[in-house]
Amino acid sequence: MNSDEVTGLKRLWKYAGPHRPQVIAAIFHTTMGKVMDVVPEILIGAVLDVIVRGQGSFVATQFGIADRWQQLLVLATANLFAWIFESLFGYWSAISWRNLAQTIEHEMRDQLYRHVQSLEVSWFEDNTSGGLLSVLNDDINQLERFLDGGAASILQVFWNIVLVGAMFAVSSWLLTLLAFLPIPIIVAGSIRYQKRLEPLYARVRESVADLSATLTANLSGIQTIKAFTAEDREAARVAEVSDAYRQANRDAIRFSSAFVPLIRMAILAGFTCTLVVGGWLVLNNRMEVGIYAVLVFMTQRLLWPLTRLGETLDLYQRAMASTRRIFGLLDVRPVMKEGSQPLVEPVRGEFELRDVTFGYGDGPDILHGITLRVPAGESHAIVGATGSGKSTLVRLLLRFHDARQGEVLLDGQDVRHLSYASLRGAMGYVSQDVFLFHGTVRDNIAYGRPDSRPEEIEAAAQAAEAHEFILSLPNGYDTIVGERGQRLSGGQRQRISLARAILRDPAILVLDEATSAVDNETEAAIQRSLARVTQGRTSVVIAHRLSTVRDCHRIWVLERGRIIEAGTHDELIAHGGLYAALWRVQTGEAVKVHPTASPIR
């Protein structure tokens, strides 16, 4: 057992600390079940002793029962109780281990998911959802399988060796030596195979993560696959990844399966020694026939369960590989530390960036010295070409990322000092890529306020001009929207998303390209909704369509991560800079190459 496995077992034992009484109970039931399992073999020897020796048998001399028939009845009764108690302890053992396995599986998945949710957005951008799912689901299931069956199996083998070894030691030291001779060979083989299996099962876990990631990505992009008639190509790619997983398992199976035949040969040697040497001792009157019969049965009882070591070792190696991945994920710590301060009530909704510079990961700067201010109650727009950094500003406001330099302030408080609940609880966010959960329309609107009353949900839907189309759905507000809202049109999803933000009654309404993927009619409806709900409320609008922001109090124009213009719609048109050029493009006017514009402040 290497240091990684020792560490993994220690951490698993520590993790199971609150459940140690259940662990002890499970160990006790398994132990007693194994004790009861050995008793029938002893009674078989006692029966033979009664038949051969009669009044000189062990039962007769120790319990004073002379009649052979009565001796057999006593042994039969003892055998009956042994079987009953073995069954009871076996049942209690199974219940104990399985319930313990299910409890630990549930709690570990719950803790792991909560931990993953605490990680910053950038971590999810660097890791595949399929790989994450393989840890949350498959790796935890592998650990559950080991706790369900493997742990009890190891205990049974241990007590089997102890109890049977005690019987042999009492009866014959010579047979004890011969019967136990194969065990060191089996243990040495187990250690050797364990070392060979470890990297093989690590490769299996990596392969299943790749397979899960590929399947998740393809199922999410099924419409794109169909649109580009790439079904055969993607099926071939999945088959390739699946075959890599199969090959990884095949290599592990080849080594683990070879283990059982080798153990069988060792068992054969031990059983043959007991059979031949024990028979010679009986023939030479150096051992009672009853004891000989017990030892023959015990040899098989001792060695035969060791054939399951291959299966148990297989479960163990899979579980340890999974345990390392589980605790490895739990060891990941957020780079960004959540603040502890609450926003000062009442929240005004004033938003400000001071000389902010930002870039993703180790990449180059995307925003360069951004300074802007959105006074409370005003509606401001951020516009610019694709890749200019518009959506990045919103991600900084929501604190999905931290600026490399400068400050992001909300009501004068640095967002890095605020708790996430306080910061994000003051905002209503509507993105271009609307995400709806599988559930009812009502559930999706109330997602930000699950305790909302039905009339509040309907009022938010009316404000978002979604009420009428919702009522036309088969079950109205109780209509199931499907995974990611696939049963609704893009415009319907967008209006439900807007209703979800409105219901939260946020101090700041953040709209990230909220109308870029909808038709003109839906855009007009959303614009009417925004005109009403942004009255007296701070709103930050990221827009590509300039017609949607012409009435904003102030428009900030970004180019290559820098603010080059700022002003009202009329001021920017009169200035004749980048905004005016974009306006001419979108309204069909003649396009002229704009000179580098000096900022309007």
Side-chain angles (χ1 to χ4, degrees):
M1 185 180 295
N2 59 38
S3 59
D4 287 341
E5 289 175 6
V6 172
T7 301
L9 286 173
K10 284 183 177 178
R11 293 192 65 177
L12 191 59
W13 176 247
K14 182 178 179 181
Y15 184 88
H19 306 290
R20 285 178 188 171
Q22 293 95 313
V23 174
I24 294 172
I27 292 173
F28 174 75
H29 294 146
T30 302
T31 301
M32 293 306 299
K34 177 50 63 177
V35 170
M36 294 297 108
D37 186 43
V38 171
V39 170
E41 274 76 11
I42 298 174
L43 294 177
I44 289 174
V47 169
L48 289 175
D49 187 49
V50 168
I51 294 173
V52 173
R53 298 174 61 194
Q55 294 182 351
S57 69
F58 176 81
V59 176
T61 57
Q62 295 297 317
F63 296 96
I65 304 174
D67 185 73
R68 291 188 176 185
W69 176 246
Q70 290 183 355
Q71 292 180 43
L72 292 176
L73 289 178
V74 169
L75 293 174
T77 302
N79 185 66
L80 174 65
F81 279 103
W83 277 81
I84 291 174
F85 281 113
E86 180 188 357
S87 300
L88 286 174
F89 283 117
Y91 170 77
W92 291 330
S93 173
I95 291 293
S96 299
W97 284 114
R98 290 178 181 178
N99 284 338
L100 179 66
Q102 292 296 322
T103 298
I104 290 179
E105 177 188 31
H106 161 71
E107 292 182 353
M108 183 170 283
R109 182 178 285 116
D110 179 64
Q111 179 184 352
L112 198 57
Y113 179 73
R114 290 176 184 273
H115 172 70
V116 166
Q117 284 193 138
S118 72
L119 301 177
E120 59 270 0
V121 172
S122 59
W123 185 87
F124 291 91
E125 295 169 346
D126 296 334
N127 292 271
T128 65
S129 57
L132 180 58
L133 282 173
S134 72
V135 179
L136 284 166
N137 191 39
D138 194 63
D139 281 325
I140 291 180
N141 286 341
Q142 289 289 354
L143 180 58
E144 181 267 335
R145 291 188 191 103
F146 172 71
L147 293 175
D148 192 358
S153 180
I154 291 174
L155 271 174
Q156 289 170 350
V157 169
F158 169 77
W159 284 116
N160 201 61
I161 293 174
V162 171
L163 295 171
V164 174
M167 285 297 303
F168 266 88
V170 170
S171 304
S172 170
W173 279 105
L174 176 60
L175 288 182
T176 301
L177 177 65
L178 295 175
F180 276 71
L181 189 61
I183 293 180
I185 300 173
I186 295 172
V187 172
S190 300
I191 294 173
R192 179 170 177 264
Y193 268 83
Q194 179 180 330
K195 292 180 179 179
R196 297 292 297 272
L197 283 169
E198 181 183 352
L200 297 177
Y201 278 116
R203 182 182 162 203
V204 169
R205 305 312 318 140
E206 293 170 0
S207 298
V208 76
D210 292 341
L211 179 59
S212 180
T214 302
L215 289 172
T216 301
N218 281 24
L219 291 175
S220 298
I222 192 66
Q223 292 186 21
T224 303
I225 292 173
K226 288 182 174 294
F228 286 88
T229 61
E231 291 92 341
D232 291 341
R233 186 167 71 251
E234 290 302 325
R237 190 157 69 95
V238 170
E240 181 180 355
V241 178
S242 179
D243 187 63
Y245 175 52
R246 178 181 66 170
Q247 187 59 49
N249 266 299
R250 180 179 292 173
D251 293 341
I253 290 169
R254 184 173 66 251
F255 278 92
S256 63
S257 297
F259 189 62
V260 173
L262 293 176
I263 291 177
R264 286 176 181 269
M265 296 301 100
I267 290 172
L268 176 61
F271 186 76
T272 301
C273 288
T274 303
L275 197 67
V276 173
V277 176
W280 180 83
L281 291 174
V282 172
L283 291 175
N284 287 275
N285 296 318
R286 297 176 62 181
M287 178 180 288
E288 297 295 338
V289 67
I291 295 177
Y292 172 65
V294 169
L295 295 184
V296 170
F297 282 112
M298 285 291 184
T299 304
Q300 196 168 17
R301 174 67 68 184
L302 169 68
L303 299 177
W304 193 253
L306 295 178
T307 59
R308 295 183 57 189
L309 271 181
E311 179 183 347
T312 304
L313 186 62
D314 186 80
L315 286 173
Y316 172 78
Q317 284 295 348
R318 289 177 183 266
M320 287 302 100
S322 294
T323 299
R324 285 191 290 274
R325 284 164 52 87
I326 291 168
F327 285 116
L329 182 52
L330 282 173
D331 287 339
V332 176
R333 290 291 174 263
V335 176
M336 293 175 11
K337 302 298 183 182
E338 181 179 1
S340 59
Q341 297 178 7
L343 271 170
V344 176
E345 298 288 347
V347 180
R348 302 190 314 275
E350 182 179 274
F351 166 43
E352 185 177 2
L353 271 70
R354 293 180 182 172
D355 196 26
V356 167
T357 297
F358 174 77
Y360 291 100
D362 297 326
D365 290 342
I366 295 174
L367 300 178
H368 307 270
I370 298 292
T371 296
L372 63 83
R373 177 174 173 269
V374 181
E378 290 191 6
S379 178
H380 283 219
I382 302 172
V383 303
T386 300
S388 60
K390 304 186 299 297
S391 295
T392 300
L393 285 177
V394 170
R395 297 169 77 86
L396 292 177
L397 174 59
L398 289 163
R399 210 191 165 207
F400 291 159
H401 305 276
D402 278 339
R404 288 176 175 172
Q405 296 178 4
E407 294 177 304
V408 180
L409 306 174
L410 181 56
D411 284 356
Q413 295 178 258
D414 193 320
V415 297
R416 288 172 294 191
H417 301 156
L418 298 173
S419 68
Y420 291 142
S422 181
L423 170 65
R424 296 166 187 166
M427 300 184 194
Y429 179 55
V430 182
S431 68
Q432 175 185 358
D433 183 20
V434 176
F435 189 94
L436 298 184
F437 295 89
H438 182 69
T440 66
V441 172
R442 188 186 311 279
D443 292 339
N444 275 279
I445 294 177
Y447 188 75
R449 282 183 55 197
D451 57 346
S452 300
R453 298 189 304 272
E455 56 269 24
E456 292 176 319
I457 295 172
E458 292 185 15
Q462 289 173 342
E465 297 207 9
H467 182 67
E468 290 187 6
F469 91 76
I470 292 174
L471 292 180
S472 69
L473 296 174
N475 297 307
Y477 282 85
D478 294 320
T479 300
I480 300 296
V481 302
E483 187 178 8
R484 298 184 66 91
Q486 60 187 356
R487 296 182 182 178
L488 303 178
S489 69
Q492 290 172 333
R493 292 197 296 269
Q494 194 65 267
R495 278 183 275 181
I496 288 177
S497 176
L498 180 57
R500 180 166 62 192
I502 292 171
L503 180 63
R504 203 171 193 186
D505 192 24
I508 299 179
L509 189 61
V510 181
L511 306 168
D512 187 2
E513 301 276 16
T515 63
S516 63
V518 299
D519 55 38
N520 291 332
E521 181 180 353
T522 302
E523 180 185 355
I526 292 176
Q527 285 300 108
R528 290 193 299 269
S529 303
L530 293 177
R532 291 192 298 270
V533 301
T534 57
Q535 288 293 326
R537 187 196 311 270
T538 307
S539 60
V540 179
V541 183
I542 308 297
H544 177 72
R545 295 183 184 179
L546 302 185
S547 59
T548 63
V549 300
R550 62 181 301 171
D551 295 327
C552 288
H553 292 90
R554 194 170 185 82
I555 300 170
W556 304 83
V557 184
L558 263 66
E559 185 175 43
R560 298 180 181 177
R562 290 181 169 86
I563 295 175
I564 62 168
E565 298 177 307
T568 65
H569 172 78
D570 292 337
E571 289 172 344
L572 292 171
I573 292 294
H575 179 64
L578 175 59
Y579 181 87
L582 293 173
W583 178 262
R584 285 194 296 270
V585 170
Q586 293 188 15
T587 56
E589 298 179 16
V591 179
K592 292 188 287 186
V593 178
H594 73 285
T596 301
S598 59
I600 300 176
R601 300 296 184 192

